[in-house]
Amino acid sequence: MFFLSVLRYALLVLVPLCSILTTYLYLYPAFHLCAFPSPEHNPRSEYVNTLRHHAPYTSQDGSKLAPFRLLALGDPQLEGESSIPDANAANFPNLSKFWKDALLLNGTNHNPLQRLRHSLHDLVDFYFDDIPKALEVYRKRLDHVGNDYYLGHIYRTMHWWTDPTHVTVLGDLVGSQWIDDEEFESRGWRYWNRVFNGGVKVSEELASQPSDDFQDTLVLGEDAAAWKQRIINVAGNHDVGYAGDLSQDRMARFTRVFGKANYELRFQLPVNSTAVAKDGEESAEEKPTPELRIVVFNDMNLDTPVGSQEMQDETYGFLNKVITTSHDVTRTAHFTIVLTHIPMHKEAGICVDGPFFDFYNGEFGNGVREQNHLSKDASKGFLEGIFGKNGNPDVPGGGYGRHGVIMTGHDHEGCNVYHYMNHSSPERQWEATTWPKALSADIVDKPGIPGLREITVQSMMGGFAGNAGLMSLWFDEETWDWKFEFTNCGLGTQHIWWLVHILDLIALGIGLVYGGILLGGGRAKSSQVEKRVQTGAAYANGNVSKPTNGSALLVAGKRSLRTELSMMSLDSGSRDGSNF
C-alpha cells in the first residue's frame, strides 16, 4: 500500500531526527558544557564534576563546589492580552452585528433593502476583517503560551543541571507597567505556574530591613532545599514603572505577587575555625566570620524628577539604612551583592545601551519616562555609599572600600563591566571599561586603583539566545576573603524550542496513524483467514453444493483457482467414498 509506505519512510526519517533534537533540547546545558565556576578555575573540571552529579554510580566532589551558586535570569518580560492588537476580533464583532442588523435586534427600523445592505456589509467585514484578525489573535495567544514554556524550559533545565543554591530574576518580570490589575494577576499566575513552576517568592519574614542590630542572619547551606525553590525577584521598569510613573498601586501589586522590592539577606558561612595562628606566634588571631550580604534594591526612582516624592524618599531612606548599617570598610571576610535593575552609568560604546534619558512633558510631574543607565550621581552613590569606595587614598581602607559585585538587568544584550578610579589621576572620577579590557590592562585589584565589577545579565528572552547567568562565590581561607566568578549559558532562539516540539508532534501523529492502519489491517486479515477456515470446513462436511458449470467456486475473500479446485476435488472424493 503506497500510503502505508509513505508513512513508514516518514517515520524512518523523523524518529531518529526527533530523538537527536529532543535529546539536545532537554540536555542542552550538557552539550554546551555549562557549569558553575569553581575555586579551581578549571572549566573542564567544573563540567566533569557537574556531569558526575547526574551520572549513575558516581557523585560530585563537594570540595570543588562553591557554597553560593546563583542562577541569575534577566528580563523575561511576559506579554499578554494588552500586547495583542484588536484582541476583541476573536469575539467576531461583525458577526454579532450581522445578527442584530438582520433580525433588527438593535431596535432600528430599517426597510428590507436597508436590512439587506447592512447585513451584507457586516458579512463582508466578518469574512475579510474579523476572521484574519481573529487568526492573528489566536496565533499571538499560542505564541504567548509557547514563550511561557520556552522560558520555563530554560529555568527548569538549568536548575536541574547546574543545581544552584539561589535563584534571582533581575527585573522586568512582566512586559508592561501600564496593564490593569486583572492582566497583572494573569501574568503573575503564568509566571509562577508556567515559567517558574515550583518556585516561590521570598517571604516577608525572610525579607529583612537593614538594622544596626541585625538579628536575621542565616547560615549559608542551611534550609538548602527551600532556598533552591525561592526566587529573588527584582522590580523593573516594566513591573512598577520608571521614576515618573512609579506609583503606590503598582508597587503594592508587585509586592503582593512577586515579593518586596527593597530588602536585604545576610548569610554566614560556617568554617572550621576563625582562629588563625601567625608564624612565630603561639596565640591565634581571631578572624572575622565570613559573611555574605545580599541587597535587593529598587533603583527605578533614584533619579529625578519623580512622579511621587514620597516614594523616592522611601527609596533613599532604605539606601541610607543600607549604607549606615554596613560593616567597616576595613573588615575582611565580607562580601556584598547588590541585585537591582537599571545598570550603572557608563560612557557610550562600552555596552550596547548607551546613556539615555527621556522625560514626561506636562504629566507625572515631568518625571523620568525612560532611562538606560542611572545618572552619574546615582551611580556614584552606589559605588561610594554601599561599597565605600573613595577617591582619597588617605581614608580608612585606602579608598578600596568593600568587596562585592553589582548585578543588573535592563540591557537585554548584557554587559560585563569594571568601574574604577585612578588615585593618581588629577580628576579622580569614576570610569568604566569592559571586564576583558580591564583584565588585559591589569587594573583589576591594582594598588592605587579601587574598582568594582558590574554584571548586566543578558536577557533570557528567545531573541537574546535564552541566556542564563551562573555566578559562583566561595571563601578563600588563605587570604581570608571571598572570591567569585561568573559565566553565561544560552539555549538559543525560541525557534529551536518550537521546531523540536512541532517535529515531535508530527512524528507522534504519523506514528499513531501508521499504528492504527497496521492494527486495522491486522484485524481485517484475521477476519479473512477465519472466513476461509470456515468455508473449507463447510466443503469438507459436504454442506456446500457443487457448482453446476464446473468452474471455480467464488467465496468470501480472495482465493486462488488452485485452492478452489482442490476443495472441489476433496468434496467429490468424499462423496464417492461414501457410495462404497
Side-chain angles (χ1 to χ4, degrees), residues 104-125:
L104 299 179
L105 299 177
N106 54 4
T108 57
N109 294 318
H110 294 311
N111 59 45
L113 184 60
Q114 288 176 320
R115 289 173 63 183
L116 178 62
R117 180 169 59 86
H118 284 287
S119 300
L120 290 176
H121 188 274
D122 294 336
L123 282 178
V124 170
D125 288 342

Side-chain angles (χ1 to χ4, degrees), residues 344-538:
M344 305 295 105
H345 173 81
K346 52 191 73 73
E347 297 298 326
I350 296 176
C351 300
V352 173
D353 286 350
F356 173 78
F357 272 87
D358 189 24
F359 303 91
Y360 286 102
N361 185 12
E363 57 181 346
F364 299 111
N366 296 325
V368 178
R369 183 173 186 170
E370 186 179 357
Q371 63 186 113
N372 285 348
H373 301 157
L374 295 177
S375 63
K376 286 185 178 180
D377 290 337
S379 301
K380 183 179 179 181
F382 266 77
L383 297 168
E384 299 186 6
I386 297 178
F387 292 95
K389 310 291 182 180
N390 202 294
N392 184 0
D394 298 325
V395 299
Y400 293 102
R402 302 177 185 89
H403 199 188
V405 65
I406 301 173
M407 301 191 72
T408 62
H410 199 51
D411 186 344
H412 296 166
E413 297 287 351
C415 202
N416 200 347
V417 175
Y418 189 69
H419 299 269
Y420 65 97
M421 178 187 291
N422 194 338
H423 282 166
S424 62
S425 173
E427 295 85 6
R428 293 185 182 179
Q429 294 181 348
W430 284 103
E431 302 177 63
T433 186
T434 62
W435 179 249
K437 288 183 178 179
L439 291 175
S440 62
D442 194 26
I443 61 175
V444 178
D445 296 331
K446 188 173 182 179
I449 306 180
L452 186 76
R453 189 173 175 184
E454 177 197 2
I455 300 170
T456 300
V457 179
Q458 183 176 325
S459 171
M460 69 183 300
M461 290 188 287
F464 302 92
N467 183 70
L470 303 172
M471 177 196 165
S472 293
L473 178 69
W474 61 90
F475 190 74
D476 187 343
E477 295 192 18
E478 292 185 3
T479 61
W480 207 255
D481 215 343
W482 294 91
K483 293 184 179 180
F484 79 98
E485 194 49 76
F486 178 86
T487 189
N488 287 302
C489 180
L491 164 59
T493 177
Q494 72 271 28
H495 301 112
I496 297 174
W497 186 92
W498 278 107
L499 174 65
V500 172
H501 287 96
I502 289 173
L503 288 176
D504 286 346
L505 288 175
I506 292 173
L508 178 62
I510 293 175
L512 291 175
V513 172
Y514 183 74
I517 293 175
L518 289 181
L519 184 61
R523 289 179 178 177
K525 288 183 179 180
S526 176
S527 177
Q528 291 174 7
V529 170
E530 183 178 353
K531 288 182 179 179
R532 290 177 184 177
V533 171
Q534 292 175 353
T535 305

Side-chain angles (χ1 to χ4, degrees), residues 22-32 153 157 160-161:
T22 304
T23 301
Y24 164 77
L25 181 64
Y26 284 85
L27 294 175
Y28 79 89
F31 288 100
H32 292 190
H153 176 76
T157 307
W160 163 77
W161 174 257

Side-chain angles (χ1 to χ4, degrees), residues 4-5 60 63 67 98 133 178 336 353 450 460 482 485 514 555 566 569:
L4 202 62
S5 299
Q60 274 183 310
S63 63
F98 164 77
K133 287 182 178 179
W178 300 105
T336 301
D353 286 350
M460 69 183 300
W482 294 91
E485 194 49 76
Y514 183 74
V555 294
S566 298
S569 300

Side-chain angles (χ1 to χ4, degrees), residues 147-181:
N147 184 67
D148 289 350
Y149 286 108
Y150 164 78
L151 297 173
H153 176 76
I154 294 172
Y155 166 68
R156 289 189 302 273
T157 307
M158 290 297 299
H159 196 279
W160 163 77
W161 174 257
T162 60
D163 191 31
T165 60
H166 297 75
V167 182
T168 184
V169 182
L170 295 164
D172 282 358
L173 284 55
V174 299
S176 174
Q177 71 270 37
W178 300 105
I179 58 178
D180 58 31
D181 291 346

